[in-house]
Amino acid sequence: MSQSHFPDDFVWGVATAAYQIEGAVDEDGRAPSIWDTFSHTPGTTTNGDTGDVACDHYHRWQEDIRLMRNLGIQAYRFSIAWPRVVPQGTGQVNGRGLDFYDRLVDGLLDANITPFVTLYHWDLPQALQNRGGWADRATVDAFVAYAEAVVRRLGDRVTHWITHNEPWVVSFVGNYEGRHAPGIQDLRTALQVAHHLLLSHGLVVPLLRSASASARVGITLNLSPAHAATSSPEDQAAAGRLDGNLNRWFLDPLYGRGYPEDMVARYGALMPQLAADDLARIAVPTDFLGINYYFPTIVRALPSGAEPLGFAPLSRDELATAGHDVTEMGWPVVPEGLTELLTRIHREYAPGAIYITENGAAIHDRVVDGTVHDPRRIAYLHGHTDAARQAIAAGAPLRGYFLWSLMDNFEWGFGYSKRFGIVYIDYGTQARIPKSSAAWYQRVIAANAVVNAGEL
Ligand code: JSK
């Protein structure tokens, strides 16, 4: 491996998620998910956007596979819509829903692209939310039954499985902040949801292995290095609480340490109910850890008692004033944060393998003369792929990188106003226009090395 090259078996991929790209929300037996309900509730998303049509990938998947093949993409991370497969959450399996993913997997394999399947990327069947959703322990069993239906159909061809995407976002943004479906604002509920997500992961890992001998199974966490805004003891302590809430709350139980004691003390009476074997089940060994990295979180302390967690991230203006380049999401561009994160995870938790399952940037793209030139995205990706390479050189077992995202799509509460794709979507015509970042990524993959943006 020369200085700028990646290991020979390094995997270069792109990622998407079902509700963000598929559309076709009432076709072939699909029933509503919590995101259909939420996005159709006035005031929840920018411009009232919904995933009703999205990128129409449900009908254009063959074109999308061709796009990936032309770029030399080696692996595709996508998610399966639970409400297509088990529309009412429990009970009847919908064969037509599975047929779609069956064809997609065959199409990918024909194009020499390895499928990485996420089982839960936020689209809970609404029928289950009506019975309490992830706060209800019965949803854990429903998820196990859904996963079993999927692996029975796809397990002869799919080798890489991700149980959950970003359980912190599901629990805390969906059930504490209320900015995501189901729009609940209750810390106790968020903690119970987080526990059930982790438990369901622990139960599904052995199920996937027993149903598919070649299965390699992991979970994807959104992790962010916690940086204090100043060196004051108050801000340093606030960064410790952010780390406890976002990172350690999930990593510690997954790696056999139970819930972190400082945060257990802080949550106090809000702690979730857990049954005797839950922590042992959650700590089931996995084959890899998926990490979604976008930015480090820079926080300051809030006055004690102001809010249970007692920290606040710096605003876009504060970040800009501090000299950070900031993306459309208001997130600072800090590639070194990725090296820091990967080396820390390697040192403190020692997963056998790591994949970056998401990394990318929302940039305000414009079509000019039929092309989209996105040098800021290229600079972001250049910095972060190089940061990943440095972590490998430092010994982190990083096996692959998935760029978020293959194409612009429904960015949850922000609707279609945030574009993360390396392929531009014209939502009026559904035309797909590869951006200059797509050409850059194609060259990175071909060279298996970080190539210079200036040569484009
Ligand atoms: C992009 C939220 C899944 C896929 C994409 C990342 C995200 C995030 C990522 C929070 C976070 C890290 C939490 C601490 C506090 C400051 C989606 N990922 N994506 N959306 N959200 N918060 N500042 N905003 O669409 O579906 O760290 O951050």
Side-chain angles (χ1 to χ4, degrees), residues 137-162:
R137 197 173 168 102
T139 295
V140 174
D141 303 318
F143 182 66
V144 172
Y146 152 67
E148 185 162 19
V150 174
V151 72
R152 272 198 191 154
R153 178 68 89 87
L154 303 180
D156 58 336
R157 285 154 291 153
V158 171
T159 50
H160 291 78
W161 299 86
I162 293 161

Side-chain angles (χ1 to χ4, degrees), residues 294 327 329 359-363 376-377 380-381 404 419-421:
Y294 289 91
T327 69
M329 297 296 285
N359 175 248
I363 303 294
R376 292 185 64 208
R377 180 174 290 103
Y380 180 97
L381 297 170
W404 185 272
R419 295 180 176 272
F420 275 95

Side-chain angles (χ1 to χ4, degrees), residues 143-417:
F143 182 66
V144 172
Y146 152 67
E148 185 162 19
V150 174
V151 72
R152 272 198 191 154
R153 178 68 89 87
L154 303 180
D156 58 336
R157 285 154 291 153
V158 171
T159 50
H160 291 78
W161 299 86
I162 293 161
T163 54
H164 282 286
N165 180 68
E166 301 184 350
W168 180 86
V169 173
V170 174
S171 46
F172 286 91
V173 183
N175 294 274
Y176 177 50
E177 299 180 20
R179 290 187 292 111
H180 279 183
I184 293 168
Q185 296 185 322
D186 182 68
L187 186 51
R188 181 197 297 276
T189 302
L191 291 165
Q192 191 68 62
V193 165
H195 181 66
H196 288 155
L197 292 169
L198 287 169
L199 177 61
S200 72
H201 157 82
L203 298 181
V204 161
V205 171
L207 167 88
L208 293 173
R209 292 225 177 91
S210 68
S212 173
S214 54
R216 303 199 193 161
V217 192
I219 185 170
T220 280
L221 304 179
N222 60 300
L223 301 176
S224 177
H227 292 173
T230 75
S231 58
S232 78
E234 292 78 13
D235 287 350
Q236 300 282 328
R241 294 193 292 276
L242 170 87
D243 186 54
N245 168 252
L246 179 73
N247 302 319
R248 292 182 283 116
W249 195 255
F250 297 89
L251 288 163
D252 281 15
L254 287 167
Y255 287 89
R257 302 179 195 172
Y259 288 115
E261 278 177 16
D262 58 329
M263 298 307 292
V264 171
R266 178 157 280 268
Y267 293 138
L270 301 176
M271 274 294 289
Q273 299 190 333
L274 21 170
D277 297 335
D278 287 2
L279 288 171
R281 295 203 153 115
I282 291 168
V284 64
T286 52
D287 299 292
F288 62 89
L289 176 66
I291 297 178
N292 293 353
Y293 172 80
Y294 289 91
F295 61 95
T297 307
I298 307 165
V299 293
R300 73 157 58 83
L302 289 175
S304 63
E307 198 265 352
L309 290 167
F311 59 75
L314 295 192
S315 70
R316 174 195 291 265
D317 287 350
E318 289 169 319
L319 292 166
T321 303
H324 289 288
D325 185 16
V326 179
T327 69
E328 274 291 287
M329 297 296 285
W331 299 342
V333 179
V334 188
E336 316 83 72
L338 178 57
T339 315
E340 173 192 343
L341 177 65
L342 290 169
T343 52
R344 177 215 182 167
I345 297 300
H346 172 49
R347 187 174 65 243
E348 292 187 19
Y349 298 96
I354 301 173
Y355 290 92
I356 296 168
T357 41
E358 286 180 27
N359 175 248
I363 303 294
H364 182 73
D365 299 309
R366 285 177 314 129
V367 184
V368 177
D369 295 334
T371 66
V372 180
H373 187 45
D374 55 345
R376 292 185 64 208
R377 180 174 290 103
I378 294 174
Y380 180 97
L381 297 170
H382 188 280
H384 286 76
T385 47
D386 197 55
R389 189 190 56 73
Q390 290 180 44
I392 296 171
L398 184 67
R399 305 291 182 234
Y401 173 93
F402 290 79
L403 197 164
W404 185 272
S405 178
L406 168 62
M407 52 191 162
D408 298 335
N409 58 54
F410 176 78
E411 181 52 36
W412 308 110
F414 298 97
Y416 300 100
S417 71

